[in-house]
Amino acid sequence: MTGRFAGRRVLVTGGGSGIGAACCRGFAADGAVVTVLDRDGHRAAAVASEVGGRSVCADVRDADAITAAVRDAAEAMGGLTDLVNNAGTGMAKPLLSYTDKEWALLIGVNLTGTFHGIRAAGPIMLAAGGGSIVNNASLTGLRPTRGEGPYSAAKAGVLNLTQTAALELAPTVRVNAVAPGMVHTPLTDVVVANEGWRRAAESGTPLGRVGAAEEVAEVILFLASDAASYVTGQTIVVDGGSVLPSLQSDGLLRAFSNRPPGNVE
């Protein structure tokens, strides 16, 4: 099979839906052999069937399960050249109301799960002489969001972990990350389905809309591709420009533009 990923063997965690599923489709369409890992075995199997790949049911919080899943996927595919750590989960509530169980879930899936993937895949790629890892972080890892304290902290950890892994696995393995803003996935269905909430998100985005999972997947595919062969330890923000406005200066300028005519003294 031809394509920019011909001969590549890819594992995508959280590949049963959203950005992960879009990655699986993109890699497969461009020549790669793909393994879809998801804690929902039915979703993983559906996407794997669609892309002509294989599926694995596992929870990224389970270190032994992920180590075994990555090893078995590499054996079944005849190698492992690329890993996309995409599995994630989230919730929103005031910081002081989070329970220990909720904290453990958010840190466990989003941060510890990413570590488990890197630790399992890194030795295989190093032994093979090359590879690429792309971690799905979040814009909230760079800019905190009210109500998402544990999630934001976990994603900030993913960004630092990405840089550490890039340093320690270089020059053999490249490690990068993406930081999506508001993107339509199953996690954000509730926002997109509510017209008022969706419009509020769109009004704060210079491109004027919520992003699509495929748009983030395309950036992930770029980072995995040979076109990014001199890129490692980097985070690409995919947010439609939503972090560009400054709440402080924009508020000031709005107030200034509404002033009565005349000179400012």
Side-chain angles (χ1 to χ4, degrees):
M1 189 172 184
T2 59
R4 59 177 166 165
F5 296 112
R8 304 278 282 272
R9 297 162 178 85
V10 184
L11 173 65
V12 180
T13 73
S17 63
I19 295 170
C23 286
C24 293
R25 297 184 186 105
F27 276 114
D30 227 343
V33 176
V34 177
T35 294
V36 185
L37 185 150
D38 201 285
R39 65 178 179 177
D40 186 323
H42 295 295
R43 287 183 176 179
V47 175
S49 177
E50 180 183 346
V51 302
R54 62 189 303 275
S55 65
V56 179
C57 181
D59 189 325
V60 295
R61 293 175 293 175
D62 187 332
D64 291 339
I66 295 304
T67 298
V70 172
R71 182 194 62 233
D72 293 348
E75 291 177 356
M77 293 189 295
L80 180 66
T81 60
D82 299 271
L83 169 68
V84 178
N85 279 311
N86 170 75
T89 190
M91 66 178 68
K93 58 191 297 188
L95 178 62
L96 300 184
S97 68
Y98 276 95
T99 66
D100 289 347
K101 184 176 181 179
E102 290 166 340
W103 171 271
L105 171 67
L106 293 166
I107 300 299
V109 173
N110 296 299
L111 178 56
T112 307
T114 299
F115 167 67
H116 287 161
I118 294 172
R119 186 176 62 180
I124 297 172
M125 294 180 177
L126 289 172
S132 170
I133 298 173
V134 183
N135 301 320
N136 193 355
S138 172
L139 186 62
T140 65
L142 294 165
R143 300 285 182 89
T145 302
R146 290 183 178 88
E148 290 189 317
Y151 178 82
S152 297
K155 292 301 189 178
V158 169
L159 296 176
N160 191 281
L161 185 62
T162 296
Q163 295 176 332
T164 300
L167 282 172
E168 294 194 11
L169 301 183
T172 309
V173 179
R174 296 185 302 106
V175 187
N176 292 289
V178 294
M182 177 58 68
V183 174
H184 189 188
T185 71
L187 285 177
T188 60
D189 272 340
V190 65
V191 173
V192 176
N194 183 297
E195 184 176 355
W197 293 351
R198 188 187 70 252
R199 286 183 175 178
E202 292 171 344
S203 68
T205 306
L207 290 187
R209 60 181 176 82
V210 171
E214 291 75 15
E215 292 176 301
V216 181
E218 282 297 331
V219 178
I220 291 174
L221 266 62
F222 161 71
L223 288 171
S225 75
D226 291 340
S229 59
Y230 200 52
V231 180
T232 195
Q234 303 304 305
T235 297
I236 297 184
V237 175
V238 190
D239 72 334
S242 65
V243 297
L244 294 176
S246 165
L247 293 176
Q248 184 181 63
S249 61
D250 281 3
L252 173 62
L253 289 172
R254 280 195 297 271
F256 184 73
S257 64
N258 291 329
R259 76 192 190 285
N263 295 329
V264 175
E265 297 180 356

